Amino acid sequence: MIEVKGITKRYGSHTAVDNLSFTMETGRIYGFLGPNGAGKSTTMNIMTGYIAANEGTVLVNGVDIIRKPEAAKKQIGYLPELPPLYQEMTVLEYLLFVAELKKIPKKERRDQIARVLKMTMLGDYQERLIRNLSKGYKQRVGLAQALIGFPEIIILDEPTVGLDPQQILEIRDLIRSLKSDHIIMLSSHILSEVNEVCDEVMILSHGKLVASGSPAELEAKMQKKSSLNLTVLGDEESTRAALAAVPGIDQMTFGETAEDGALSAVLESDGDTDIRTEVARALAAAAIPVTGMQLETRSLEDVFLELTGSDEAVDEDTEAGEGEGKEELS
C-alpha cells in the first residue's frame, strides 16, 4: 500500500500540488489524469522521493519516503516521462548498471534481466547501443529499468509515448499482467488508454484531486444531465408548445438546420430520466414529424473536460520548477 497524506509542493508563489491525499492498494491499476501543469509529474516525483514536499508525507507500506528513503525506494519502480538512459551503453550494459544501482545481488542480476528483457520484448535488442534505438524501443528500455528488482509499486509517466499501435497494445498487455502482484500508477494524456487499462482514475486540476473512481463511476456521475438532439419538421412555437407537457425537460434550445422546413432542438434533462419515448409521443400527437433523434452520453473525455475546464496552470515541470526541487534536496 502507498499512502499520500496531505502533500503540498510550492515553487515560489506557484502551488503545484495542494494538500493532496489518496491511497493505492495492490492489485489495482490507477490512472492519473490532468492537464499540463495540474501537478501530476510533481506528485509522482514526490512519491518516488525525487523531490521533497513542503508539507505532508508519503508512506510506502508504512515507510516514510523522506525519513527512510532507501527502504521506501526499494519498493518502487519509476518510469519518468523522459527515461533516464545512457545513450552510449548497450541495452544489456544499461540494465546491468541499473541492477547494480538497485543493489540486486550479483548472482541474481542475469536471471532478473533475462526475465525483464522477455517481458518488455527487448531480447533481440540487448546488444544494441541505446542511441541507435527508435524512440519506442528507448521507452521499452525505460520500462525495463523500472521493473528491475520487481518492486511492488510501479509508477509510469506516459509509458506508451512514442510507441506504434501494435507496441501500445503489447505494453498495455504487459501492464495488465503485472496487476495482480503490484500497485500500478499510470499517467497518460490518452484518455481511451486510461479508460481501457485502469481500475480507478484520479483527476487533478490546479494541484487538487477533483474526482476519483472507476471510469464507469466517473461517467455515471456526469450523467446527472443528458442532452437529446432532435430534428423535426415544424416551427419553433408549435414544437415548444408540444414539448412543454413532457416531464423531465429542464431546458429547450432551438436552431436552424440546412434542411428546408426543418428545426433543430436540444433538450436538456435529468440524466436518470429517459425522455425519448415521451418526446416522440408528444410530437406525434401534435403531428410534428421527427426526422432525427440522438441521445448524447458523456465519455471519460467529457468528464475530464468538465472537471478541469480550461485549466491553464503553470507547468510544474518547467526548468525553474525542477531546479527549485533539486536545490531543496542538495
Side-chain angles (χ1 to χ4, degrees), residues 13 56 78 103 105 112 125 143 145 150 175 200 205 235 249 260 279 281 283-284 300-301:
S13 60
Y78 181 37
K103 298 183 178 179
Q112 276 207 26
Y125 298 86
L143 181 56
Q145 66 79 27
F150 301 104
I175 291 171
E200 185 167 340
S205 180
D235 61 83
I249 297 178
D260 189 30
V279 165
R281 284 175 178 165
L283 292 173
L300 183 60
E301 182 173 0

Side-chain angles (χ1 to χ4, degrees), residues 206-222:
H206 294 291
K208 295 183 177 182
L209 187 65
V210 295
S212 64
S214 71
E217 287 171 344
L218 290 178
E219 289 174 2
K221 286 179 183 178
M222 300 307 292

Side-chain angles (χ1 to χ4, degrees), residues 253-280:
T253 305
F254 294 90
E256 297 179 353
T257 70
E259 186 180 352
D260 189 30
L263 179 74
S264 70
V266 179
L267 311 181
E268 301 285 344
S269 66
D270 187 325
D272 293 330
T273 305
D274 190 343
I275 62 173
R276 287 176 293 180
T277 300
E278 293 302 319
V279 165

Side-chain angles (χ1 to χ4, degrees), residues 18-226:
D18 190 359
N19 193 30
L20 186 61
S21 299
F22 56 85
T23 300
M24 299 191 299
E25 299 179 345
T26 301
R28 296 183 68 77
I29 302 174
Y30 296 83
F32 212 37
L33 291 177
N36 288 334
K40 304 185 303 298
S41 293
T42 294
T43 300
M44 289 180 164
N45 285 333
I46 292 170
M47 291 172 67
T48 55
Y50 180 64
I51 61 175
N54 296 107
E55 300 167 16
T57 57
V58 175
L59 301 178
V60 181
N61 288 328
V63 180
D64 191 311
I65 201 160
I66 296 299
R67 294 182 179 178
K68 297 183 179 178
E70 187 172 346
K73 290 179 183 180
K74 190 175 182 180
Q75 303 176 70
I76 298 174
Y78 181 37
L79 171 63
E81 188 172 358
L82 297 175
L85 306 177
Y86 288 94
Q87 303 292 326
E88 299 306 317
M89 286 184 172
T90 66
V91 172
L92 181 57
E93 288 170 342
Y94 174 69
L95 294 181
L96 284 168
F97 171 66
V98 170
E100 186 175 354
L101 285 180
K102 292 188 176 184
K103 298 183 178 179
I104 306 300
K106 204 167 185 178
K107 62 183 179 180
E108 297 177 15
R109 289 176 195 169
R110 292 280 178 176
D111 287 342
Q112 276 207 26
I113 289 170
R115 287 176 60 192
V116 168
L117 287 170
K118 183 176 180 179
M119 291 168 69
T120 54
M121 292 155 283
L122 282 169
D124 293 337
Y125 298 86
Q126 58 184 303
E127 300 300 336
R128 293 267 193 99
L129 287 175
I130 291 174
R131 65 179 169 83
N132 292 333
L133 296 176
S134 67
K135 183 178 179 181
Y137 274 90
K138 287 178 181 177
Q139 194 73 2
R140 286 170 181 257
V141 177
L143 181 56
Q145 66 79 27
L147 295 174
I148 293 290
F150 301 104
E152 180 184 351
I153 299 159
I154 300 172
I155 298 177
L156 309 172
D157 195 352
E158 301 284 352
T160 59
V161 168
L163 303 183
D164 64 38
Q166 181 59 40
Q167 291 171 335
I168 288 173
L169 293 175
E170 291 169 349
I171 293 300
R172 285 180 185 174
D173 288 342
L174 171 57
I175 291 171
R176 291 191 194 98
S177 73
L178 297 170
K179 170 182 169 178
S180 60
D181 300 320
H182 299 81
I183 297 169
I184 300 175
M185 185 178 195
L186 168 69
S187 168
S188 177
H189 286 92
I190 306 172
L191 300 183
S192 59
E193 179 169 82
V194 171
N195 195 23
E196 185 175 333
V197 175
C198 298
D199 301 301
E200 185 167 340
V201 178
M202 295 180 283
I203 300 179
L204 261 65
S205 180
H206 294 291
K208 295 183 177 182
L209 187 65
V210 295
S212 64
S214 71
E217 287 171 344
L218 290 178
E219 289 174 2
K221 286 179 183 178
M222 300 307 292
Q223 295 303 322
K224 293 178 181 177
K225 295 287 183 182
S226 64

